[in-house]
Amino acid sequence: MTTPGSAVPPAGTVPPPGTVPLPEHIRKDPAMQPNPPVPHSATVDDKGIHVTTAAGKTRSYSGGEVMNLTQVIDLAEGSATLCQSTTETCLNLMDEAVELAGDCDTLIAEITAKEVGANLIGKCEVLKEQLDLQAAAAKDLHDKIQGGEEACRTASANAELRHGPIFRAVADSPLTKPAERDFYNAR
């Protein structure tokens, strides 16, 4: 039973989310695996930046669109950094909850030894259960956010690999202004 004002359900009442195992033929099929990032090639002329993908498709970008690509990469990397600091905070919260739950155990033992405060013992036991739930929730959140951090870092690295030649082409072009060249060379 959930206590009033508490969003944490009692232990054991919420079933874990289901997982869907992939069939063996899909997990081992190379065609079903993600493709590794392949760098694009690029050329620069007075009409824009012309990009050719590994599949042979071409597209022209403006200078602003290429700068947006750098911002997307930086955003993914910044998100990964935020995830990293959040996972560290989750671990700290988990450690604090475990420590406080241990303090509750000590307090319960002291109260029991003095044979006073049965009501207080009950309150301490409820507090310890809540701290155990908090520690478990912090650990679960840590694990989930750690997966997000890995995804953000992978997305950033893949985008950098895929779009890096575009940035190099712009930086190396004689048509690029010095400030813009410095922007790309700083990467």
Side-chain angles (χ1 to χ4, degrees):
M1 182 167 144
T2 305
T3 58
S6 172
V8 179
T13 60
V14 178
T19 59
V20 179
L22 292 174
E24 193 67 25
H25 70 280
I26 290 178
R27 288 188 308 142
K28 292 191 174 185
D29 183 5
M32 298 301 289
Q33 301 304 313
N35 293 327
V38 178
H40 296 325
S41 60
T43 57
V44 180
D45 62 21
D46 58 346
K47 294 180 182 163
I49 299 115
H50 309 288
V51 177
T52 304
T53 67
K57 296 182 180 180
T58 60
R59 181 173 191 272
S60 294
Y61 289 94
S62 69
E65 288 175 311
V66 174
M67 283 192 177
N68 284 345
L69 291 174
T70 65
Q71 292 171 354
V72 169
I73 293 168
D74 293 344
L75 180 64
E77 193 59 38
S79 296
T81 302
L82 179 62
C83 286
Q84 180 181 6
S85 67
T86 304
T87 58
E88 291 167 3
T89 301
C90 286
L91 287 179
N92 291 339
L93 290 173
M94 185 183 74
D95 291 343
E96 286 181 36
V98 168
E99 183 181 328
L100 290 172
D103 291 348
C104 283
D105 281 335
T106 304
L107 189 57
I108 289 169
E110 288 176 8
I111 295 169
T112 304
K114 294 181 181 179
E115 296 179 2
V116 295
N119 193 22
L120 185 58
I121 291 173
K123 298 281 185 187
C124 286
E125 287 172 346
V126 169
L127 179 60
K128 182 188 177 316
E129 287 175 15
Q130 292 297 314
L131 288 166
D132 289 340
L133 285 172
Q134 181 180 347
K139 174 69 173 129
D140 183 50
L141 190 58
H142 165 269
D143 295 344
K144 289 178 181 176
I145 293 174
Q146 200 167 32
E149 175 189 356
E150 182 180 339
C152 290
R153 291 209 190 280
T154 301
S156 175
N158 288 350
E160 187 72 48
L161 178 69
R162 183 172 283 129
H163 300 116
I166 300 170
F167 308 146
R168 281 277 56 87
V170 173
D172 295 344
S173 171
L175 301 172
T176 303
K177 296 175 186 160
E180 191 177 5
R181 181 175 289 115
D182 292 344
F183 173 81
Y184 290 110
N185 283 333
R187 293 198 65 74

